[in-house]
Amino acid sequence: MAAYKPVVVQAFPKLGERITQDTVYWRGYKTPVQIKEFGAVNKIDFSPVPPYNYAVTASSRIHIYGRYSQEPIKTFSRFKDAAYCATYRDDGNLLVAGSEEGSIRLFDISGRAPLRQFDGHTKAVHVVGFLSDKYRIFSGGDDYSSNLWDIPSATEIVSYSEHTDYVRCGCASKVNADVFITGSYDHTVKLFDARTKSSVMTIEHGQPVESVLLFPSGGLLVSAGGRYVKVWDVLKGGQLLVSLKNHHKTVTCLCLNSSGQRLLSGSLDRHVKIYSTTSYKVVHSFNYATSILSLALSPEDETIVVGMTNGVLNVKHRKPEERKEKSQKKRQPAYRTYVKGRTYMPKQEDFCVSKPVKRVLRKYDKLLKSFQSSKALDAVLEPPIRLYTPEVTVAVMQELHRRGTLRSALAGRDEKQINLLLTFVARRVIEPRFTPVLVTVADMITDIYQPVVGQSAIVDRQFLRLQEAIGKEIDYQEELLEVLGMMDTLFATFTKKRATHLEENKSNGLTETIETNTNN
């Protein structure tokens, strides 16, 4: 009896991932550190001065973390209810935060009790920040108002009530000390100047605005809301430059890297997308465990911190650059050491001993060897093989078809197994490398289970998906054939013109020869 030959899995070329400078740069972070907070993390803000500590706002506390610490080095907990949007001043000495009860508190980093308390909002304050002159604070609340406060006197300077819904985000200009911007759930972004009594610009985002960001130059504004990230030119009166739709769920936070050449956006779809600010194309992305609420990047991009809805703080630190030290290489054996004896030819009196090679069979090969066709098919429909190495599943199906046992292996299955088979076929039948085998499998499944159509809604749905996938592929092939016909016509016309040109040259030469002979 001949030895069993394992199933030959055809190898297909794989398209390698494109490695760019951005890929190398953003992959240069260590394994993340997970820190559990008391509630959803609504704001992360890095101190602009060394040692670049960062403030995390979650629940009714504000925790200050050191750059590499996993425990808070300071805590501000003088809040009756939830705290919001703890933000550093440019000198890193003061911290301002809003609260659920509507008051704004100003803290000194070296102390614990608030230095100032600003009361004027009637509902929760979700947005606070310093103007670039360091002596004024802007705020936005759920009472639809945007206020400006004076720090030394702890009084309200001006209040704007132009929004018609909750004000949930804002930022201040670093170029002009009188300009700040707020975004609201009324789908608008408004630009205010402290020297005027009303907003100087209104931008319609089209979705409830979750985050706004102003470029350091003050000329470009980024707004995030819904699934969209939009870039506006402030100097041209709020003209829309680009609208990005790379997330699948609501975008909740925005951030710029230290050079301003990369824009980061976090979303409820658990992804952080990184865009180039020149082409606005995604150059890299990070995937996280749960929905993202807040995002911050430290100066020089050394640390990236992400806050999530489940209260987990994800901290990634950049790997230190490896110093290449010149080490003396050990002397390696000569080349002849490795090739010694390879060219030796056995003589007649030599006794040759062959080393037996033990062949390890995979599970599906063992089942095929014992002629258990149905179980072999089940083995290659398990998720690790079906999802990551579909070529193995198709190779076993092809082997069963060669043996003539594919129909019996497909028959006698319950609703769950039929659903699994049809899902695989509908997904992979349009791939050219699998089409010849899977078309045969689809025909057999249709013939075997045609009598039970209508008895299961799940199976019926999968048959419709298979029909839709094949129909789309047929339409696509027809369009390709039409294009191919057009190209053939163009090539034929081009070839005909060249041939006509050559014939004219030949006829001209023949005429000249005849005329020469006549003259002679």
Side-chain angles (χ1 to χ4, degrees):
M1 183 178 177
Y4 173 79
K5 294 181 180 179
V7 174
V8 178
V9 179
Q10 188 177 355
F12 297 95
K14 293 183 178 180
L15 295 176
E17 184 183 359
R18 187 182 177 187
I19 304 297
T20 62
Q21 290 183 351
D22 281 287
T23 306
V24 175
Y25 182 80
W26 293 106
R27 279 185 178 176
Y29 287 95
K30 299 178 184 177
T31 304
V33 176
Q34 306 278 354
I35 302 173
K36 189 70 174 77
E37 285 288 338
F38 292 97
V41 181
N42 62 73
K43 176 71 174 180
I44 304 167
D45 191 54
F46 272 92
S47 173
V49 296
Y52 304 122
N53 297 334
Y54 56 94
V56 177
T57 312
S59 185
S60 60
R61 292 176 172 86
I62 300 170
H63 285 157
I64 308 296
Y65 288 90
R67 199 177 200 177
Y68 298 103
S69 66
Q70 297 185 24
E71 295 292 334
I73 59 177
K74 197 175 191 63
T75 300
F76 298 102
S77 57
R78 302 294 181 92
F79 296 92
K80 297 178 182 178
D81 209 330
Y84 299 113
C85 197
T87 307
Y88 278 100
R89 196 166 72 170
D90 287 344
D91 56 8
N93 293 327
L94 296 181
L95 190 75
V96 66
S99 63
E100 182 68 29
E101 61 261 26
S103 61
I104 302 166
R105 291 177 173 84
L106 182 70
F107 297 94
D108 188 346
I109 294 301
S110 59
R112 288 188 179 275
L115 294 177
R116 296 278 191 279
Q117 180 167 324
F118 305 90
D119 296 313
H121 287 281
T122 57
K123 290 185 180 180
V125 179
H126 285 262
V127 187
V128 285
F130 292 93
L131 294 186
S132 57
D133 62 3
K134 302 179 184 179
Y135 299 109
R136 288 178 292 177
I137 294 172
F138 71 91
S139 64
D142 287 355
D143 56 0
Y144 311 164
S145 65
S146 304
N147 297 357
L148 200 62
W149 309 85
D150 181 62
I151 294 177
S153 62
T155 57
E156 180 184 292
I157 300 172
V158 63
S159 177
Y160 303 95
S161 300
E162 298 189 20
H163 286 293
T164 58
D165 208 334
Y166 299 156
V167 181
R168 288 297 173 92
C169 56
C171 62
S173 171
K174 294 184 179 181
V175 179
N176 191 326
D178 294 308
V179 173
F180 68 97
I181 295 168
T182 58
S184 169
Y185 280 5
D186 63 4
H187 301 190
T188 63
V189 177
K190 291 186 180 291
L191 189 146
F192 296 97
D193 191 322
R195 296 164 293 189
T196 63
K197 295 183 178 180
S198 61
S199 62
V200 294
M201 185 184 298
T202 300
I203 295 171
E204 183 67 35
H205 179 81
Q207 301 283 339
V209 184
E210 298 284 351
S211 182
V212 290
L213 178 69
L214 199 60
F215 274 65
S217 63
L220 296 180
L221 170 70
V222 187
S223 62
R227 295 168 57 190
Y228 295 90
V229 176
K230 297 184 179 182
V231 183
W232 312 85
D233 191 335
V234 177
L235 302 180
K236 290 186 178 180
Q239 179 183 344
L240 178 63
L241 295 180
V242 65
S243 179
L244 308 172
K245 190 181 179 183
N246 297 98
H247 287 283
H248 302 297
K249 292 184 180 180
T250 301
V251 183
T252 55
C253 48
L254 296 170
C255 177
L256 275 176
N257 76 330
S258 55
S259 65
Q261 295 180 355
R262 295 292 180 265
L263 172 68
L264 287 76
S265 64
S267 168
L268 296 180
D269 64 3
R270 305 182 295 108
H271 287 86
V272 171
K273 303 283 185 183
I274 303 172
Y275 309 87
S276 166
T277 54
T278 53
S279 62
Y280 292 104
K281 291 182 179 179
V282 176
V283 295
H284 194 69
S285 64
F286 293 109
N287 188 16
Y288 289 87
T290 54
S291 300
I292 297 167
L293 283 183
S294 52
L295 166 70
L297 199 60
S298 70
E300 299 178 2
D301 305 341
E302 287 292 328
T303 308
I304 180 170
V305 186
V306 170
M308 291 174 273
T309 53
N310 61 353
V312 172
L313 202 64
N314 186 292
V315 185
K316 291 182 181 180
H317 298 288
R318 183 165 291 284
K319 297 176 184 177
E321 294 183 0
E322 298 179 356
R323 295 180 180 178
K324 296 182 179 179
E325 298 180 357
K326 293 182 180 179
S327 59
Q328 294 181 354
K329 292 184 178 180
K330 293 182 180 180
R331 186 178 176 184
Q332 299 294 333
Y335 176 70
R336 63 176 178 272
T337 306
Y338 296 105
V339 298
K340 185 178 180 180
R342 287 191 179 183
T343 58
Y344 178 78
M345 296 297 294
K347 297 177 182 178
Q348 188 174 1
E349 62 272 12
D350 289 342
F351 180 74
C352 299
V353 179
S354 59
K355 186 179 179 180
V357 179
K358 187 177 179 181
R359 181 174 292 175
V360 180
L361 297 178
R362 297 184 180 275
K363 183 180 178 180
Y364 57 84
D365 274 319
K366 292 178 181 178
L367 294 169
L368 286 173
K369 185 179 179 181
S370 58
F371 303 103
Q372 300 181 52
S373 304
S374 184
K375 289 184 178 179
L377 185 58
D378 291 338
V380 294
L381 285 174
E382 292 178 357
I385 299 177
R386 170 170 49 89
L387 297 176
Y388 302 109
T389 55
E391 59 273 9
V392 175
T393 306
V394 176
V396 171
M397 289 179 174
Q398 189 173 11
E399 175 65 17
L400 292 174
H401 182 55
R402 187 188 68 80
R403 294 183 177 193
T405 57
L406 180 58
R407 180 176 287 271
S408 61
L410 292 171
R413 296 181 174 270
D414 58 17
E415 181 185 59
K416 186 177 179 181
Q417 292 173 331
I418 298 171
N419 179 36
L420 192 64
L421 266 171
L422 287 172
T423 303
F424 177 79
V425 173
R427 182 180 178 184
R428 300 291 182 179
V429 72
I430 59 174
E431 296 187 27
R433 55 180 179 164
F434 301 145
T435 300
V437 178
L438 292 184
V439 165
T440 304
V441 174
D443 287 340
M444 288 188 181
I445 294 174
T446 306
D447 292 340
I448 295 169
Y449 296 103
Q450 187 177 4
V452 299
V453 172
Q455 297 180 12
S456 169
I458 298 175
V459 175
D460 292 349
R461 194 181 308 118
Q462 292 299 334
F463 272 117
L464 290 173
R465 280 187 60 195
L466 177 61
Q467 182 185 11
E468 183 182 358
I470 294 175
K472 286 183 178 180
E473 185 64 19
I474 291 173
D475 293 340
Y476 182 59
Q477 294 290 342
E478 288 177 353
E479 291 178 5
L480 288 178
L481 287 173
E482 290 177 4
V483 174
L484 187 61
M486 296 175 190
M487 294 174 68
D488 287 342
T489 305
L490 291 172
F491 291 146
T493 307
F494 178 70
T495 307
K496 188 175 180 181
K497 286 182 178 180
R498 288 189 61 184
T500 306
H501 181 64
L502 290 173
E503 287 172 3
E504 287 178 357
N505 290 341
K506 287 180 181 178
S507 61
N508 290 338
L510 181 62
T511 305
E512 290 174 2
T513 305
I514 293 171
E515 288 178 355
T516 305
N517 294 337
T518 306
N519 294 332
N520 293 336

